[in-house]
């Protein structure tokens, strides 16, 4: 056998059989599934890098900034924002939480008196507001004092800073060499499939980028309006935290808006001063729902995710069942990506991904 023929045979024999490729990919997916919660910080960093990469490209192409310099500019900005958030949580919120914990019995007693009066009739007997407040506080203290909860809290206190530092380190590498990492993942597949997978990526990526950008706008909008009303108008305690929570809940379909309304109701009960305040909070929740669904959402999302509401609900339920909180957040973009992939495979691709990026 001549040299070229032997070389050709070696190249053709270098590719593993189909069953070996399928087994390898199945094994990798199974490992990722069992490690999904441990990998959640990495997934969050990857999503953040995916959102920030266009800024790096803008600095490169429009301002002629070298790639590494652009990455450093974006990275330093992220570090500054993370520092401000940490300062707020540790300083402002931590101080208020400590003060609130010390005043909790008194505040709870006053709230019970306001809602039910000085005496509460329960289980055939009258209980004073002070006694009921003391029982609630004692129950919470006993629950928190359990060894397993104390161990979990200690692990969170020790592990959270370490995980945060790890996420910031990984973010730099994702920003600087994210494309190379994606190209490396392609090597899990045989060479004959890589061009097709790259083509699928060019269809899915614009939709994902447009969707993430739209979700960020909706989140910032709802958080800003909530902070404006709750903080500046009604002076609600922990208004920034409530506002951020309302904004994040917008990412979750179906359940998120309902949870936002419930959160407004809790804020109204805790900091409200009567029926008018409660009605105002509910009015704010309705305004956010209507304006987001009919004005802000359609404007910023457009046709990035054109899925039937029933499909969104089913995707949400499947994602939550299989992957928990991770599945809740990624259900809609994954379902939209599957729709685009199927359209390409069946020859029905109408350029939806390109329109989403326009």
């Amino acid at each position: 056998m001549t040299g070229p023929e032997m070389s050709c045979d070696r190249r053709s024999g270098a590719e593993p059989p189909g069953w070996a490729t399928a087994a390898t990919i199945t094994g990798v997916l199974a490992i990722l599934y069992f490690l999904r919660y441990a990998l959640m910080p990495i997934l969050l960093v990857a999503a953040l890098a995916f959102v920030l990469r266009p800024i790096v490209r803008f600095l490169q192409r429009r301002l002629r900034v070298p790639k590494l310099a652009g990455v450093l500019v974006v990275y330093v900005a992220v570090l500054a924002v993370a520092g401000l958030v940490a300062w707020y949580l540790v300083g402002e919120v931590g101080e208020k939480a400590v003060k609130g914990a010390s005043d909790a019995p008194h505040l709870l007693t006053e709230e019970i008196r306001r809602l039910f009066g000085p005496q509460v009739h329960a289980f055939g007997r009258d209980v004073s507001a002070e006694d009921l407040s003391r029982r609630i506080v004692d129950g919470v203290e006993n629950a928190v004092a359990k060894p397993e909860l104390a161990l979990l809290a200690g692990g969170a206190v020790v592990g959270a800073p370490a995980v945060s530092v790890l996420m910031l380190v990984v973010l730099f590498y994702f920003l600087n060499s994210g494309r190379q990492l994606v190209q490396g993942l392609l090597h899990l597949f045989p060479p004959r499939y890589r061009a097709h997978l790259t083509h699928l990526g060019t269809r899915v990526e614009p939709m994902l980028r447009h969707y993430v950008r739209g979700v960020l706008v909706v989140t910032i909008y709802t958080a800003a309006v909530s902070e404006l009303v709750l903080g500046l108008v009604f002076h609600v305690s922990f208004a920034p935290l409530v506002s951020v929570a309302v904004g994040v809940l917008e990412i979750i379909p179906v359940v998120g808006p309902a949870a936002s309304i419930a959160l407004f109701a809790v804020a109204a009960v805790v900091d409200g001063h009567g029926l008018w305040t409660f009605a105002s909070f509910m009015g704010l929740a309705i305004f956010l729902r209507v304006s987001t669904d009919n004005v802000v959402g359609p404007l910023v999302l457009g046709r990035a995710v054109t899925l039937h509401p029933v499909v969104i609900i089913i995707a949400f339920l499947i994602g939550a069942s299989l992957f928990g909180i991770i599945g809740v957040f990624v259900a809609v973009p994954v379902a939209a990506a599957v729709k685009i992939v199927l359209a390409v495979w069946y020859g029905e691709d109408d350029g939806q991904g390109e329109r989403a990026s326009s």
Side-chain angles (χ1 to χ4, degrees):
M1 184 178 292
T2 63
E5 290 173 346
M6 293 177 61
S7 176
C8 181
D9 288 343
R10 283 197 297 268
R11 286 198 301 269
S12 62
E15 184 174 309
W19 66 264
T21 300
T24 301
I25 295 175
T26 302
V28 171
L29 292 178
I31 293 173
L32 293 177
Y33 176 79
F34 287 112
L35 297 177
R36 60 193 185 278
Y37 294 113
L39 294 175
M40 184 166 64
I42 305 299
L43 293 176
L44 293 175
V45 171
L48 180 59
F50 181 77
V51 174
L52 296 176
R53 275 292 299 173
I55 303 178
V56 177
R57 287 203 297 268
F58 173 82
L59 294 175
Q60 281 184 266
R61 297 174 182 176
R62 299 294 180 87
L63 303 182
R64 305 299 181 183
V65 176
K67 179 183 176 181
L68 182 58
V71 169
L72 289 174
V73 169
V74 174
Y75 188 68
V76 170
V78 172
L79 290 179
V81 173
L84 289 175
V85 171
W87 172 81
Y88 175 77
L89 291 177
V90 175
E92 298 292 326
V93 176
E95 181 181 352
K96 291 181 180 178
V98 172
K99 185 178 183 301
S102 61
D103 296 340
H106 173 72
L107 296 176
L108 185 58
T109 300
E110 293 299 321
E111 194 64 28
I112 293 174
R113 284 178 177 173
R114 188 175 67 84
L115 294 175
F116 306 104
Q119 296 287 330
V120 180
H121 186 75
F123 303 104
R125 56 177 297 186
D126 290 331
V127 181
S128 67
E130 292 82 357
D131 189 29
L132 181 59
S133 173
R134 184 172 61 254
R135 293 184 183 184
I136 294 174
V137 172
D138 290 343
V140 172
E141 290 178 350
N142 292 333
V144 174
K146 291 182 179 180
E148 56 270 21
L149 291 180
L151 183 62
L152 182 63
V157 171
V158 175
V163 172
S164 300
V165 173
L166 175 63
M167 291 173 66
L168 291 174
V169 172
V170 173
L171 176 62
F172 176 82
Y173 288 105
F174 277 173
L175 287 173
N176 192 45
S177 55
R179 288 291 181 184
Q180 292 88 328
L181 292 173
V182 173
Q183 291 297 323
L185 290 177
L186 286 176
H187 288 281
L188 289 173
F189 301 90
R192 67 177 182 270
Y193 296 132
R194 292 171 189 170
H196 182 63
L197 291 173
T198 302
H199 173 69
L200 291 177
T202 60
R203 289 290 182 266
V204 173
E205 182 181 359
M207 179 277 298
L208 292 177
R209 196 172 300 284
H210 194 81
Y211 174 79
V212 172
R213 185 168 60 239
V215 168
L216 285 176
V217 172
V218 170
T219 300
I220 293 172
Y221 166 76
T222 53
V225 173
S226 300
E227 170 63 19
L228 181 65
V229 176
L230 296 180
L232 299 182
V233 177
F234 292 100
H235 306 288
V236 174
S237 300
F238 300 110
L241 287 181
V242 175
S243 302
V244 171
V246 170
V248 172
L249 287 172
E250 286 296 325
I251 305 175
I252 306 175
V254 184
V255 176
S260 297
I261 294 176
L263 193 58
F264 279 125
V266 171
V269 170
V270 173
D271 278 4
H273 300 284
L275 183 61
W276 173 249
T277 303
F278 183 85
S280 300
F281 279 35
M282 291 301 97
L284 172 61
I286 294 173
F287 169 78
L288 284 175
R289 187 80 274 114
V290 172
S291 61
T292 301
D293 291 343
N294 296 282
V295 180
V296 180
L299 283 177
V300 298
L301 287 174
R303 297 188 59 187
V305 182
T306 53
L307 296 174
H308 193 279
V310 174
V311 176
I312 292 177
I313 294 174
I314 293 175
F316 169 71
L317 294 175
I318 293 175
S321 301
L322 292 178
F323 301 102
I325 189 64
I326 301 176
V328 168
F329 286 104
V330 304
V332 173
V334 168
V338 169
K339 178 184 176 182
I340 294 176
V341 170
L342 292 177
V344 173
W345 281 352
Y346 296 150
E348 300 172 347
D349 183 25
D350 57 356
Q352 179 182 5
E354 284 138 1
R355 283 203 306 271
S357 63
S358 60

